[in-house]
């Protein structure tokens, strides 16, 4: 009799929305999205200028909201709220 072991490689994905203040134009939107998407583990980042927020799909085992905050805050013009 053979025994097979199957490893479960499910990613721990989360989808959360965070407030980002200071965004006023499409260039601001692009800069925030680019900064967050550059982080390892981020699958998608979509900014809403109208709602002043960003919705992020990410792997919780690779990136934290605090790291996203640091990436956005490093841009200098925006404030990412946890």
């Amino acid at each position: 009799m053979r025994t097979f072991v199957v490893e479960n490689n499910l990613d721990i994905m989360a989808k959360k929305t965070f407030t980002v203040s200071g965004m006023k134009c499409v260039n601001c939107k692009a800069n925030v999205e680019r900064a967050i998407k550059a982080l390892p583990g981020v699958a998608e980042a979509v900014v809403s200028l109208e709602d002043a927020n960003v919705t992020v799909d990410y792997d919780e085992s690779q990136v934290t909201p605090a790291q996203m905050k640091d990436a956005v805050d490093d841009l200098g013009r925006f404030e990412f709220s946890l």
Side-chain angles (χ1 to χ4, degrees), residues 11-12 15 17-18 21 23 25 41 44-45 47 57 66 69 73-74 78 80:
D11 289 337
I12 303 168
K15 183 173 192 164
T17 300
F18 304 95
S21 60
M23 298 183 298
C25 65
E44 188 65 57
V47 166
D57 293 322
K69 177 179 175 34
D73 289 352
D74 284 348
F78 316 110
F80 185 103

Side-chain angles (χ1 to χ4, degrees), residues 36-53:
I36 295 173
K37 287 179 183 177
L39 297 169
V42 173
E44 188 65 57
V46 179
V47 166
S48 169
L49 287 174
E50 297 79 24
D51 297 326
N53 65 31

Side-chain angles (χ1 to χ4, degrees), residues 5 11 16 20 32 34 39 50-51 54 63 65 71 73 80 82:
V5 177
D11 289 337
K16 295 185 182 173
V20 180
V32 170
R34 190 177 313 114
L39 297 169
E50 297 79 24
D51 297 326
V54 60
V63 65
D73 289 352
F80 185 103
L82 296 176

